[in-house]
Amino acid sequence: MVTHHTPYRQEPARHRLPAALRAPLEARTWRELGYALTGLPVAVALFVWTVTMVSLGAGLLVTFVGVPVLALALVGCRGFGALERARAGALLKVKVAAPEPLRPGGPGLLSWLGAVLRSGASWRHLVYALVHFPWAVFSFSLAISFWTYGWALLTYPLWFWVFPMWAGQGGIQLYGDGHHSVYLDNPFEITVTALVGLVFTLLTPWLLRALTTVDGLLVRGLLGPSRLTARVAELESDRGVVVDTAAADLRRIERDLHDGAQARLVNLAMGLGLAKEKLHHDPETAARMVEEAHGEAKTALKELRDLARGIHPAILTDRGLDAALSHIATRCTVPVTLTVDLPTRPAPAIEGITYYTASELLQNISKHSHAHHATLDLRHTPHHLTLQIHDDGTGGADPTHGTGLAGLAERLHAVDGTLTIDSPPGGPTLITAQLPWRA
């Protein structure tokens, strides 16, 4: 995962009214009210379906008929769950992925029935149907009461005249018995009534927000994919990233070998062949060609050594991250202050990714930062290995601009790591890579 911080963010819209006064008229409040009001009929239909079908299926389990009835009840709950996810997405802006699909073990009705009954998602939908019904009744009652009484009392000065004209009384009856009645009919009482309505109206949005927060938790927890399923999907995605990265590395190695060392070795063989032909009748030319071939051989060895170092340097295997990072820091064109504080060596995979990340970031500093100084700090924090690289360059590092940062983020994410970039235009730049600690 890559997080990119930039100081140039769009300024939030400035409102003359504070949030507490704006809330009753905001679109979010009306969407949440709509969710609370529409939740009751959906909850009633879902509860009736669930209780009826599950009771019928349980009663018929003594015969084979009860099994398909129970499976049909669960399928219906999954259908209602899709409706609830869509309603939560439209009104609450809560995006919940669909749960894991049914996976029958084979063709046929029995296999499908077994998949429905074995699915944990199906039973979570059934639990949602039973739990959501009483909560929907509570939410509907509270939301409609606060909203109705709030707006009715707030606007009472506009419609109190209805009582003396059409009801034959001075106003809303606050108290009454056989001997005495109290009506809200004078200017002071009407004003106080409107103020009470204002309090109710201002409280309603926050009440709705609290109620729909619980709804969102229910939808996420019971109608979405399980944590295990989400983790499996994440691991499958990470495996794809690892495979793609490995394939890209192999292509890079093949290209470097073909275009570099292999081409030089071919030239070396041709040069030695020509020198062999001239050895007897032109020894001086042959000697010069052998000298050139010797230079080509040294250059090819250097390229092979650099290529091997880029794959996994021997110094990293033999002496660990401290020595390996010191080596690449000396090769950076910008002076680097290095700090390494590790209790032990991490796992080889984590060590290799950390080395590769530091190497790529230092190369970016050399090529793009125009910095005068940089610091590299590697330390062990609880459960994590944290790498921080800071430079005083021109900043503006962006993973979308082809500096290799997006590829680094994918490599880190494949091992549950993160990459955080704080690089405002004009600098400085601070990049933090965090990997899980595996000793």
Side-chain angles (χ1 to χ4, degrees), residues 369-398:
S369 70
H370 305 289
H372 299 93
H373 185 263
T375 61
L376 190 155
D377 183 83
L378 181 68
R379 63 184 64 251
H380 171 247
T381 57
H383 310 296
H384 290 95
L385 179 65
T386 303
L387 171 69
Q388 282 192 331
I389 294 185
H390 176 273
D391 70 74
D392 58 358
T394 56
D398 191 335

Side-chain angles (χ1 to χ4, degrees), residues 353-376:
I353 293 177
T354 303
Y355 173 84
Y356 179 83
T357 301
S359 177
E360 288 292 312
L361 293 177
L362 290 178
Q363 286 185 31
N364 283 344
I365 291 176
S366 297
K367 295 177 182 178
H368 309 293
S369 70
H370 305 289
H372 299 93
H373 185 263
T375 61
L376 190 155

Side-chain angles (χ1 to χ4, degrees), residues 78-145:
R78 292 177 72 108
F80 274 102
L83 173 63
E84 287 293 85
R85 289 192 299 273
R87 198 165 64 90
L91 297 177
L92 302 183
K93 306 304 179 184
V94 174
K95 304 300 181 183
V96 179
E100 57 273 19
L102 298 175
R103 292 185 174 89
L109 178 61
L110 291 179
S111 179
W112 180 81
L113 292 176
V116 173
L117 296 174
R118 288 194 307 268
S119 172
S122 300
W123 294 101
R124 291 199 306 273
H125 281 67
L126 185 144
V127 172
Y128 177 85
L130 300 178
V131 172
H132 184 246
F133 173 69
W135 176 253
V137 173
F138 176 77
S139 298
F140 179 90
S141 303
L142 213 58
I144 196 67
S145 298

Side-chain angles (χ1 to χ4, degrees), residues 2 8 16 20 31 33 36 46 72 98 133-134 137 145 157 181 185 188 270 293 372 392 404:
V2 58
Y8 295 107
R16 295 181 179 179
R31 290 198 310 269
L33 176 65
L46 176 55
L72 184 60
F133 173 69
V137 173
S145 298
S181 298
D185 53 2
F188 174 75
M270 294 176 60
H372 299 93
D392 58 358

